[in-house]
Amino acid sequence: PYPFSSGTDLIIDGWFHERGTLWPGQAMSLQVEQVLHTSKSLYQDVLVFKSVNYGNVLVLDGVIQVTERDERKIFTSWWII
């Protein structure tokens, strides 16, 4: 069901490339320092890597979910709610 066989297929020449139909005409690339985890379950493809500028990055099914750099924004927004 995925357009790729694993999350690491989206890493080309040391760069993770998020491209898809969710946001036509737009792509996101992050430089990868180290792949920390990859797995594939019956439901999703999981990739966790350390990026050069965003810290650790969680990718599900080829789409960036959260980065360490987002942590403060997420934590602060919970206090606002």
Side-chain angles (χ1 to χ4, degrees):
Y2 305 124
F4 48 88
S5 60
S6 74
T8 55
D9 290 348
L10 298 173
I11 299 172
I12 302 166
D13 296 328
W15 288 81
F16 170 82
H17 300 282
E18 177 186 278
R19 288 176 264 180
T21 58
L22 294 173
W23 303 280
Q26 170 178 320
M28 175 71 169
S29 295
L30 296 175
Q31 190 173 13
V32 177
E33 189 173 310
Q34 177 184 5
V35 174
L36 302 174
H37 174 80
T38 60
S39 63
K40 191 169 188 171
S41 73
L42 294 173
Y43 305 103
Q44 62 194 22
D45 185 81
V46 179
L47 170 65
V48 179
F49 66 90
K50 183 175 181 180
S51 72
V52 173
N53 293 316
Y54 284 81
N56 293 342
V57 179
L58 170 64
V59 178
L60 299 177
D61 296 333
V63 178
I64 297 170
Q65 302 297 309
V66 69
T67 72
E68 262 187 300
R69 194 167 169 179
D70 299 324
E71 179 183 7
R72 182 183 160 159
K73 293 176 199 171
I74 293 168
F75 182 74
T76 303
S77 68
W78 279 107
W79 283 105
I80 294 169
I81 297 172

